[in-house]
Amino acid sequence: MTFFEQELKHLFENDTTFTNKRFVGNTCYGRLDNNIRVKIQFTTCGIADHYQALKVTLLNRNEGEIDSMTLHFHDMWGMKRPGNPNIGEKISPYIWKYEERTEWYIYKPTRNDYQKLADAVRGYLVTFQEPIHGQQLC
């Protein structure tokens, strides 16, 4: 299992907002309802091998892309002070690929960080779910 697959499983394996999850490469695929599929992937934002965000895409199985959103880690978590005393300034969190390794660069997200990110994705996805009988959308 790749580093990306492990991170995606950590975020979404137990999430009940979408079903039929598959973790492949740097992407998580799933089903929101009968017609809407979910695609969540780590993405770069202009710097090769620096994965600074999650891109969430909703796909209609018959008509293609419905909508997408990019969640930047620094927008979700802010600038972070690394645990390394040799690095004095705050950094923007990201995953990097270097030689044969893929890992978080200096700052590793906390449980609270992961929860914030998963909650933001969940909030986005429920906007597109069919309302349950008797519920009204805002």
Side-chain angles (χ1 to χ4, degrees), residues 34-50:
N34 285 338
N35 291 314
I36 300 177
R37 302 301 184 258
V38 177
K39 178 180 177 184
I40 304 169
Q41 65 189 122
F42 287 100
T43 187
T44 61
C45 300
I47 301 173
D49 293 334
H50 285 205

Side-chain angles (χ1 to χ4, degrees), residues 2-80:
T2 70
F3 177 82
F4 291 116
E5 290 168 341
Q6 290 173 11
E7 291 296 294
L8 289 164
K9 276 190 171 193
H10 185 75
L11 284 162
F12 304 113
E13 185 170 44
N14 297 316
D15 193 305
T16 59
T17 309
F18 64 106
T19 61
N20 294 28
K21 296 173 192 84
R22 303 287 186 267
F23 302 94
V24 182
N26 72 343
T27 306
C28 171
Y29 297 94
R31 177 184 293 204
L32 193 60
D33 66 25
N34 285 338
N35 291 314
I36 300 177
R37 302 301 184 258
V38 177
K39 178 180 177 184
I40 304 169
Q41 65 189 122
F42 287 100
T43 187
T44 61
C45 300
I47 301 173
D49 293 334
H50 285 205
Y51 296 83
Q52 302 160 306
L54 274 184
K55 182 174 182 182
V56 183
T57 305
L58 295 168
L59 303 161
N60 178 292
R61 11 175 313 195
N62 299 316
E63 299 174 20
E65 186 173 322
I66 297 169
D67 195 59
S68 69
M69 177 180 68
T70 302
L71 294 164
H72 296 265
F73 303 138
H74 67 265
D75 290 341
M76 299 300 307
W77 305 330
M79 299 292 283
K80 295 295 189 175

Side-chain angles (χ1 to χ4, degrees), residues 85-111:
N86 296 324
I87 301 171
E89 61 189 56
K90 292 181 177 181
I91 63 164
S92 180
Y94 67 92
I95 295 170
W96 73 325
K97 289 174 103 178
Y98 180 73
E99 294 178 351
E100 298 296 318
R101 294 187 330 227
T102 302
E103 61 191 8
W104 287 100
Y105 179 75
I106 300 176
Y107 177 79
K108 175 150 177 35
T110 65
R111 181 178 305 182

